[in-house]
Amino acid sequence: MVLCPPMSGSEKRILRPEDYMDMHSPLPPNLKPPDCTSIIELPFSIHAYQHLRGIQERKNLSAPLLPKEDPIFSSLSYKLGKNVEDIGHKIHEALVKNTTSWVLYNMASFYWRIKNEPFHMVECAMRALHFSSRFNKGIALLNMANVLHRAHFSADAAILAHAALDVSPGPDVSTDSLVSHYTLGNIYAMLGEYNHSVLCYDRVLELRPFFYEADKRKKAVLCQQKLEQKLEAQHRSLQRTLNELKEYQKQHDHYLRQQEVLEKHKLIQEEQILRNIIHETQMAKEAQLGKSGQYYVLI
């Protein structure tokens, strides 16, 4: 890993991790990881973004395992040691001797990302951020942004990635600007902000036209956006159909209630007519019987 912090103009200063570590002393049997919390205590600071929910809940962060092809695995050169544990111990020893080195804290955060330990990674990155100058803060900010994004705190990750973009040296073809836009493209895609995501990938491709991964992800985002638009259109169509069915059911229920009222009214009318017929029949019979009685009296 070579860190190239931006400087004034186009000048860059190459920082070699080997210059910050003891590369010659033999390793002890019991290797120690670079536990940044034991090196120095960091006071609460809004400048370290400790107000963000993802940072506040760093002890509970979890993230899926990184694929082996992830660039983070090449962030610590094996020239520094035979394996990750050897490198981690050398970073630990260097931090004990130099407790304010932003370079070493960044290296420690890379170590913990490789080990998939978000809590320790964030602790080291916060210290790297604390001790970095303005134009060197981008590395720690993007490191934390990536970890929070993978831990499903993408809104917080977007804030950190934008902060990294703000401290990048300018809109020129710089690694800081490129990585910041690429990271933001990934974050916005996860948040469903597809237009913002495509704009970020477009900016990456402007800076580096043959960035295959950015082009592939841009196409995937556009495909996802079209799919969701079609699904939303289908949902709206189904909702309209459902509303029409509900309206039809409402009218049908009203019709049935009206029919029921009419049937009751009709039944009442029929009962009334029947009673009238019975009454008239009875009256006729009584009248007939009265006439018969008068005839017998005459005889």
Side-chain angles (χ1 to χ4, degrees):
M1 179 188 70
V2 177
L3 299 176
C4 302
M7 299 182 69
S8 59
S10 59
E11 184 180 357
K12 289 181 182 286
R13 180 164 58 93
I14 297 177
L15 300 178
R16 291 159 37 89
E18 302 94 292
D19 297 336
Y20 291 79
M21 298 164 58
D22 182 357
M23 302 300 297
H24 305 291
S25 299
L27 294 172
N30 298 320
L31 302 178
K32 294 182 178 180
D35 182 359
C36 299
T37 60
S38 66
I39 300 298
I40 190 171
E41 186 176 349
L42 191 65
F44 179 88
S45 171
I46 195 171
H47 300 294
Y49 296 89
Q50 295 184 50
H51 60 290
L52 297 179
R53 184 185 169 197
I55 301 296
Q56 291 177 353
E57 297 185 12
R58 55 190 178 276
K59 288 186 177 181
N60 301 319
L61 293 180
S62 62
L65 291 173
L66 291 166
K68 291 299 181 184
E69 62 272 13
D70 193 284
I72 194 63
F73 288 101
S74 60
S75 61
L76 296 178
S77 171
Y78 281 100
K79 293 179 181 179
L80 303 176
K82 294 180 180 179
N83 52 51
V84 176
E85 286 70 25
D86 288 356
I87 298 171
H89 182 82
K90 289 181 180 180
I91 296 172
H92 165 75
E93 288 188 329
L95 277 172
V96 171
K97 296 175 182 178
N98 185 355
T99 61
T100 61
S101 170
W102 68 272
V103 176
L104 290 172
Y105 282 118
N106 273 316
M107 290 176 64
S109 70
F110 292 146
Y111 168 86
W112 289 114
R113 278 191 68 189
I114 292 172
K115 300 295 284 186
N116 199 38
E117 293 284 352
F119 167 71
H120 287 292
M121 182 272 141
V122 170
E123 288 289 346
C124 293
M126 285 197 300
R127 285 159 177 77
L129 184 63
H130 180 75
F131 291 111
S132 297
S133 63
R134 171 177 168 77
F135 291 124
N136 293 332
K137 293 183 183 296
I139 299 171
L141 287 167
L142 285 175
N143 235 344
M144 289 196 292
N146 277 295
V147 167
L148 292 186
H149 174 52
R150 289 177 57 79
H152 306 293
F153 285 92
S154 295
D156 289 348
I159 294 172
L160 293 169
H162 272 292
L165 196 58
D166 289 341
V167 299
S168 63
D172 59 340
V173 186
S174 68
T175 301
D176 292 340
S177 181
L178 184 82
V179 176
S180 295
H181 279 100
Y182 180 70
T183 302
L184 274 171
N186 297 339
I187 292 169
Y188 279 130
M190 178 64 73
L191 291 172
E193 299 284 347
Y194 299 127
N195 291 334
H196 288 89
S197 178
V198 169
L199 287 173
C200 290
Y201 289 135
D202 281 340
R203 182 57 181 152
V204 171
L205 293 170
E206 286 177 16
L207 297 172
R208 189 175 296 175
F210 301 105
F211 194 156
Y212 168 74
E213 194 64 28
D215 184 59
K216 183 177 74 172
R217 295 199 177 204
K218 175 188 171 181
K219 290 175 180 175
V221 166
L222 289 171
C223 182
Q224 180 69 19
Q225 186 179 39
K226 288 180 180 178
L227 176 62
E228 290 194 8
Q229 287 172 347
K230 289 181 179 179
L231 289 173
E232 286 174 3
Q234 186 181 48
H235 175 73
R236 288 193 296 270
S237 177
L238 290 172
Q239 190 63 46
R240 283 195 300 270
T241 302
L242 181 60
N243 291 337
E244 290 172 0
L245 287 172
K246 286 180 178 178
E247 183 61 27
Y248 169 79
Q249 184 65 41
K250 181 180 177 181
Q251 293 177 0
H252 181 67
D253 291 343
H254 177 71
Y255 170 77
L256 290 178
R257 287 193 298 270
Q258 291 295 104
Q259 281 291 105
E260 186 178 351
V261 171
L262 288 173
E263 289 293 332
K264 287 182 178 179
H265 184 68
K266 182 180 177 182
L267 183 60
I268 291 170
Q269 285 183 329
E270 289 177 350
E271 289 177 350
Q272 186 63 44
I273 291 171
L274 182 59
R275 283 196 295 269
N276 290 340
I277 292 172
I278 294 172
H279 178 69
E280 290 176 0
T281 303
Q282 186 66 30
M283 292 292 292
K285 286 181 178 180
E286 290 177 357
Q288 185 65 33
L289 289 172
K291 288 181 180 180
S292 299
Q294 290 178 3
Y295 175 74
Y296 291 131
V297 169
L298 290 174
I299 293 178

mmCIF file of all heavy atoms in Angstrom, residues 41-53 55-56 58 122-123 125-127 129-131 137 141 144 160:
data_model
loop_
_atom_site.group_PDB
_atom_site.id
_atom_site.type_symbol
_atom_site.label_atom_id
_atom_site.label_comp_id
_atom_site.label_asym_id
_atom_site.label_seq_id
_atom_site.Cartn_x
_atom_site.Cartn_y
_atom_site.Cartn_z
ATOM 1 N N GLU A 41 -7.089 7.396 23.998
ATOM 2 C CA GLU A 41 -8.523 7.632 24.171
ATOM 3 C C GLU A 41 -8.928 8.851 23.365
ATOM 4 O O GLU A 41 -8.278 9.897 23.438
ATOM 5 C CB GLU A 41 -8.846 7.840 25.649
ATOM 6 C CG GLU A 41 -10.336 7.958 25.930
ATOM 7 C CD GLU A 41 -10.648 8.063 27.406
ATOM 8 O OE1 GLU A 41 -9.728 7.840 28.225
ATOM 9 O OE2 GLU A 41 -11.809 8.388 27.745
ATOM 10 N N LEU A 42 -10.002 8.711 22.609
ATOM 11 C CA LEU A 42 -10.447 9.800 21.743
ATOM 12 C C LEU A 42 -11.665 10.481 22.364
ATOM 13 O O LEU A 42 -12.690 9.832 22.594
ATOM 14 C CB LEU A 42 -10.808 9.248 20.362
ATOM 15 C CG LEU A 42 -11.051 10.276 19.248
ATOM 16 C CD1 LEU A 42 -9.762 11.031 18.935
ATOM 17 C CD2 LEU A 42 -11.574 9.582 17.999
ATOM 18 N N PRO A 43 -11.588 11.771 22.652
ATOM 19 C CA PRO A 43 -12.748 12.476 23.226
ATOM 20 C C PRO A 43 -13.852 12.609 22.177
ATOM 21 O O PRO A 43 -13.601 12.558 20.974
ATOM 22 C CB PRO A 43 -12.177 13.841 23.617
ATOM 23 C CG PRO A 43 -11.023 14.044 22.678
ATOM 24 C CD PRO A 43 -10.435 12.679 22.448
ATOM 25 N N PHE A 44 -15.084 12.810 22.666
ATOM 26 C CA PHE A 44 -16.202 12.984 21.735
ATOM 27 C C PHE A 44 -15.987 14.252 20.916
ATOM 28 O O PHE A 44 -15.608 15.299 21.443
ATOM 29 C CB PHE A 44 -17.526 13.094 22.495
ATOM 30 C CG PHE A 44 -18.709 13.293 21.584
ATOM 31 C CD1 PHE A 44 -19.373 12.197 21.053
ATOM 32 C CD2 PHE A 44 -19.133 14.569 21.247
ATOM 33 C CE1 PHE A 44 -20.462 12.377 20.198
ATOM 34 C CE2 PHE A 44 -20.220 14.750 20.395
ATOM 35 C CZ PHE A 44 -20.882 13.653 19.875
ATOM 36 N N SER A 45 -16.216 14.116 19.614
ATOM 37 C CA SER A 45 -16.059 15.268 18.737
ATOM 38 C C SER A 45 -17.005 15.128 17.557
ATOM 39 O O SER A 45 -17.055 14.081 16.911
ATOM 40 C CB SER A 45 -14.614 15.369 18.225
ATOM 41 O OG SER A 45 -14.517 16.356 17.217
ATOM 42 N N ILE A 46 -17.726 16.211 17.286
ATOM 43 C CA ILE A 46 -18.619 16.196 16.127
ATOM 44 C C ILE A 46 -17.822 16.146 14.837
ATOM 45 O O ILE A 46 -18.306 15.675 13.798
ATOM 46 C CB ILE A 46 -19.543 17.438 16.160
ATOM 47 C CG1 ILE A 46 -20.713 17.250 15.173
ATOM 48 C CG2 ILE A 46 -18.771 18.714 15.852
ATOM 49 C CD1 ILE A 46 -21.779 18.307 15.305
ATOM 50 N N HIS A 47 -16.556 16.595 14.893
ATOM 51 C CA HIS A 47 -15.694 16.566 13.709
ATOM 52 C C HIS A 47 -15.269 15.141 13.356
ATOM 53 O O HIS A 47 -14.802 14.895 12.248
ATOM 54 C CB HIS A 47 -14.462 17.444 13.939
ATOM 55 C CG HIS A 47 -14.803 18.885 14.210
ATOM 56 N ND1 HIS A 47 -15.392 19.706 13.266
ATOM 57 C CD2 HIS A 47 -14.671 19.641 15.329
ATOM 58 C CE1 HIS A 47 -15.591 20.912 13.778
ATOM 59 N NE2 HIS A 47 -15.165 20.905 15.030
ATOM 60 N N ALA A 48 -15.420 14.227 14.302
ATOM 61 C CA ALA A 48 -15.151 12.812 14.028
ATOM 62 C C ALA A 48 -16.440 12.085 13.666
ATOM 63 O O ALA A 48 -16.457 10.862 13.573
ATOM 64 C CB ALA A 48 -14.499 12.149 15.246
ATOM 65 N N TYR A 49 -17.517 12.857 13.494
ATOM 66 C CA TYR A 49 -18.830 12.330 13.073
ATOM 67 C C TYR A 49 -19.394 11.325 14.076
ATOM 68 O O TYR A 49 -20.130 10.421 13.717
ATOM 69 C CB TYR A 49 -18.727 11.712 11.670
ATOM 70 C CG TYR A 49 -18.367 12.731 10.625
ATOM 71 C CD1 TYR A 49 -17.025 13.010 10.332
ATOM 72 C CD2 TYR A 49 -19.345 13.454 9.965
ATOM 73 C CE1 TYR A 49 -16.687 13.976 9.393
ATOM 74 C CE2 TYR A 49 -19.025 14.417 9.027
ATOM 75 C CZ TYR A 49 -17.689 14.674 8.740
ATOM 76 O OH TYR A 49 -17.361 15.644 7.815
ATOM 77 N N GLN A 50 -19.073 11.554 15.343
ATOM 78 C CA GLN A 50 -19.586 10.655 16.380
ATOM 79 C C GLN A 50 -21.060 10.901 16.684
ATOM 80 O O GLN A 50 -21.658 10.155 17.449
ATOM 81 C CB GLN A 50 -18.746 10.804 17.649
ATOM 82 C CG GLN A 50 -17.308 10.346 17.466
ATOM 83 C CD GLN A 50 -16.510 10.417 18.756
ATOM 84 O OE1 GLN A 50 -16.947 9.934 19.791
ATOM 85 N NE2 GLN A 50 -15.342 11.036 18.705
ATOM 86 N N HIS A 51 -21.641 11.932 16.060
ATOM 87 C CA HIS A 51 -23.070 12.177 16.234
ATOM 88 C C HIS A 51 -23.908 11.299 15.307
ATOM 89 O O HIS A 51 -25.117 11.193 15.485
ATOM 90 C CB HIS A 51 -23.396 13.652 15.961
ATOM 91 C CG HIS A 51 -23.037 14.089 14.568
ATOM 92 N ND1 HIS A 51 -21.729 14.226 14.146
ATOM 93 C CD2 HIS A 51 -23.817 14.403 13.499
ATOM 94 C CE1 HIS A 51 -21.720 14.622 12.884
ATOM 95 N NE2 HIS A 51 -22.968 14.729 12.462
ATOM 96 N N LEU A 52 -23.285 10.688 14.307
ATOM 97 C CA LEU A 52 -24.026 9.829 13.386
ATOM 98 C C LEU A 52 -24.446 8.548 14.096
ATOM 99 O O LEU A 52 -23.685 7.980 14.880
ATOM 100 C CB LEU A 52 -23.180 9.487 12.162
ATOM 101 C CG LEU A 52 -22.767 10.655 11.260
ATOM 102 C CD1 LEU A 52 -21.923 10.149 10.106
ATOM 103 C CD2 LEU A 52 -24.001 11.397 10.742
ATOM 104 N N ARG A 53 -25.636 8.088 13.779
ATOM 105 C CA ARG A 53 -26.170 6.903 14.463
ATOM 106 C C ARG A 53 -25.277 5.681 14.238
ATOM 107 O O ARG A 53 -25.032 4.903 15.157
ATOM 108 C CB ARG A 53 -27.594 6.625 13.965
ATOM 109 C CG ARG A 53 -28.262 5.462 14.683
ATOM 110 C CD ARG A 53 -29.615 5.147 14.091
ATOM 111 N NE ARG A 53 -30.139 3.891 14.605
ATOM 112 C CZ ARG A 53 -31.114 3.217 14.045
ATOM 113 N NH1 ARG A 53 -31.675 3.680 12.938
ATOM 114 N NH2 ARG A 53 -31.544 2.089 14.562
ATOM 115 N N ILE A 55 -22.109 5.542 13.754
ATOM 116 C CA ILE A 55 -20.899 5.651 14.575
ATOM 117 C C ILE A 55 -21.234 5.399 16.039
ATOM 118 O O ILE A 55 -20.497 4.712 16.756
ATOM 119 C CB ILE A 55 -20.246 7.033 14.398
ATOM 120 C CG1 ILE A 55 -19.889 7.278 12.928
ATOM 121 C CG2 ILE A 55 -19.010 7.152 15.276
ATOM 122 C CD1 ILE A 55 -18.855 6.337 12.369
ATOM 123 N N GLN A 56 -22.350 5.947 16.491
ATOM 124 C CA GLN A 56 -22.749 5.757 17.882
ATOM 125 C C GLN A 56 -23.004 4.278 18.192
ATOM 126 O O GLN A 56 -22.758 3.831 19.316
ATOM 127 C CB GLN A 56 -24.000 6.581 18.185
ATOM 128 C CG GLN A 56 -23.758 8.082 18.197
ATOM 129 C CD GLN A 56 -25.033 8.881 18.427
ATOM 130 O OE1 GLN A 56 -26.129 8.320 18.447
ATOM 131 N NE2 GLN A 56 -24.902 10.189 18.599
ATOM 132 N N ARG A 58 -21.465 1.717 16.851
ATOM 133 C CA ARG A 58 -20.365 0.964 16.252
ATOM 134 C C ARG A 58 -20.095 -0.377 16.944
ATOM 135 O O ARG A 58 -19.613 -1.309 16.309
ATOM 136 C CB ARG A 58 -19.095 1.805 16.201
ATOM 137 C CG ARG A 58 -18.631 2.384 17.537
ATOM 138 C CD ARG A 58 -17.503 3.393 17.305
ATOM 139 N NE ARG A 58 -17.026 4.045 18.520
ATOM 140 C CZ ARG A 58 -17.599 5.105 19.051
ATOM 141 N NH1 ARG A 58 -18.679 5.637 18.519
ATOM 142 N NH2 ARG A 58 -17.090 5.665 20.149
ATOM 143 N N VAL A 122 -13.788 1.220 12.769
ATOM 144 C CA VAL A 122 -14.294 2.574 12.964
ATOM 145 C C VAL A 122 -13.453 3.317 14.008
ATOM 146 O O VAL A 122 -13.131 4.493 13.830
ATOM 147 C CB VAL A 122 -15.782 2.550 13.377
ATOM 148 C CG1 VAL A 122 -16.255 3.931 13.821
ATOM 149 C CG2 VAL A 122 -16.645 2.054 12.223
ATOM 150 N N GLU A 123 -13.089 2.621 15.082
ATOM 151 C CA GLU A 123 -12.272 3.261 16.123
ATOM 152 C C GLU A 123 -10.939 3.746 15.552
ATOM 153 O O GLU A 123 -10.491 4.863 15.848
ATOM 154 C CB GLU A 123 -12.024 2.286 17.278
ATOM 155 C CG GLU A 123 -13.253 2.004 18.144
ATOM 156 C CD GLU A 123 -13.665 3.188 19.001
ATOM 157 O OE1 GLU A 123 -12.873 4.135 19.138
ATOM 158 O OE2 GLU A 123 -14.789 3.164 19.547
ATOM 159 N N ALA A 125 -10.271 4.356 12.324
ATOM 160 C CA ALA A 125 -10.519 5.387 11.311
ATOM 161 C C ALA A 125 -10.826 6.731 11.960
ATOM 162 O O ALA A 125 -10.414 7.783 11.453
ATOM 163 C CB ALA A 125 -11.662 4.954 10.403
ATOM 164 N N MET A 126 -11.559 6.723 13.088
ATOM 165 C CA MET A 126 -11.841 7.986 13.784
ATOM 166 C C MET A 126 -10.554 8.643 14.268
ATOM 167 O O MET A 126 -10.416 9.874 14.218
ATOM 168 C CB MET A 126 -12.792 7.741 14.958
ATOM 169 C CG MET A 126 -14.233 7.513 14.556
ATOM 170 S SD MET A 126 -15.395 7.716 15.939
ATOM 171 C CE MET A 126 -14.789 6.462 17.081
ATOM 172 N N ARG A 127 -9.614 7.845 14.717
ATOM 173 C CA ARG A 127 -8.327 8.401 15.172
ATOM 174 C C ARG A 127 -7.498 8.887 13.988
ATOM 175 O O ARG A 127 -6.816 9.919 14.087
ATOM 176 C CB ARG A 127 -7.579 7.344 15.998
ATOM 177 C CG ARG A 127 -8.187 7.178 17.390
ATOM 178 C CD ARG A 127 -7.842 5.853 18.037
ATOM 179 N NE ARG A 127 -8.385 5.768 19.402
ATOM 180 C CZ ARG A 127 -9.674 5.530 19.683
ATOM 181 N NH1 ARG A 127 -10.530 5.356 18.699
ATOM 182 N NH2 ARG A 127 -10.081 5.486 20.942
ATOM 183 N N LEU A 129 -8.791 10.090 11.309
ATOM 184 C CA LEU A 129 -9.464 11.335 10.941
ATOM 185 C C LEU A 129 -9.058 12.460 11.888
ATOM 186 O O LEU A 129 -8.810 13.594 11.456
ATOM 187 C CB LEU A 129 -10.978 11.112 10.988
ATOM 188 C CG LEU A 129 -11.884 12.258 10.538
ATOM 189 C CD1 LEU A 129 -11.647 12.577 9.067
ATOM 190 C CD2 LEU A 129 -13.342 11.890 10.776
ATOM 191 N N HIS A 130 -8.972 12.137 13.167
ATOM 192 C CA HIS A 130 -8.640 13.135 14.187
ATOM 193 C C HIS A 130 -7.237 13.717 13.969
ATOM 194 O O HIS A 130 -7.030 14.932 14.131
ATOM 195 C CB HIS A 130 -8.729 12.492 15.572
ATOM 196 C CG HIS A 130 -8.406 13.422 16.694
ATOM 197 N ND1 HIS A 130 -9.279 14.396 17.134
ATOM 198 C CD2 HIS A 130 -7.280 13.537 17.469
ATOM 199 C CE1 HIS A 130 -8.724 15.066 18.133
ATOM 200 N NE2 HIS A 130 -7.518 14.555 18.351
ATOM 201 N N PHE A 131 -6.298 12.875 13.588
ATOM 202 C CA PHE A 131 -4.903 13.330 13.460
ATOM 203 C C PHE A 131 -4.514 13.726 12.034
ATOM 204 O O PHE A 131 -3.378 14.159 11.805
ATOM 205 C CB PHE A 131 -3.950 12.232 13.956
ATOM 206 C CG PHE A 131 -4.018 12.014 15.449
ATOM 207 C CD1 PHE A 131 -4.549 10.846 15.963
ATOM 208 C CD2 PHE A 131 -3.576 12.994 16.326
ATOM 209 C CE1 PHE A 131 -4.620 10.644 17.340
ATOM 210 C CE2 PHE A 131 -3.644 12.791 17.703
ATOM 211 C CZ PHE A 131 -4.164 11.619 18.210
ATOM 212 N N LYS A 137 -7.858 13.772 5.165
ATOM 213 C CA LYS A 137 -8.984 13.144 5.868
ATOM 214 C C LYS A 137 -9.802 12.209 4.976
ATOM 215 O O LYS A 137 -10.559 11.374 5.471
ATOM 216 C CB LYS A 137 -9.904 14.221 6.456
ATOM 217 C CG LYS A 137 -9.267 15.027 7.575
ATOM 218 C CD LYS A 137 -10.244 16.023 8.157
ATOM 219 C CE LYS A 137 -9.593 16.876 9.232
ATOM 220 N NZ LYS A 137 -9.166 16.102 10.409
ATOM 221 N N LEU A 141 -12.370 8.988 5.988
ATOM 222 C CA LEU A 141 -13.799 9.214 5.751
ATOM 223 C C LEU A 141 -14.383 8.139 4.827
ATOM 224 O O LEU A 141 -15.462 7.595 5.088
ATOM 225 C CB LEU A 141 -14.019 10.605 5.144
ATOM 226 C CG LEU A 141 -13.829 11.790 6.100
ATOM 227 C CD1 LEU A 141 -13.759 13.105 5.330
ATOM 228 C CD2 LEU A 141 -14.957 11.836 7.132
ATOM 229 N N MET A 144 -14.639 4.744 6.652
ATOM 230 C CA MET A 144 -15.823 4.659 7.512
ATOM 231 C C MET A 144 -17.098 4.583 6.680
ATOM 232 O O MET A 144 -18.042 3.862 7.029
ATOM 233 C CB MET A 144 -15.877 5.862 8.458
ATOM 234 C CG MET A 144 -14.824 5.821 9.550
ATOM 235 S SD MET A 144 -15.176 6.981 10.915
ATOM 236 C CE MET A 144 -14.942 8.543 10.104
ATOM 237 N N LEU A 160 -20.586 10.784 5.054
ATOM 238 C CA LEU A 160 -19.129 10.648 5.139
ATOM 239 C C LEU A 160 -18.481 10.717 3.758
ATOM 240 O O LEU A 160 -17.423 11.340 3.589
ATOM 241 C CB LEU A 160 -18.779 9.324 5.819
ATOM 242 C CG LEU A 160 -19.179 9.224 7.300
ATOM 243 C CD1 LEU A 160 -19.037 7.791 7.797
ATOM 244 C CD2 LEU A 160 -18.339 10.165 8.150
#
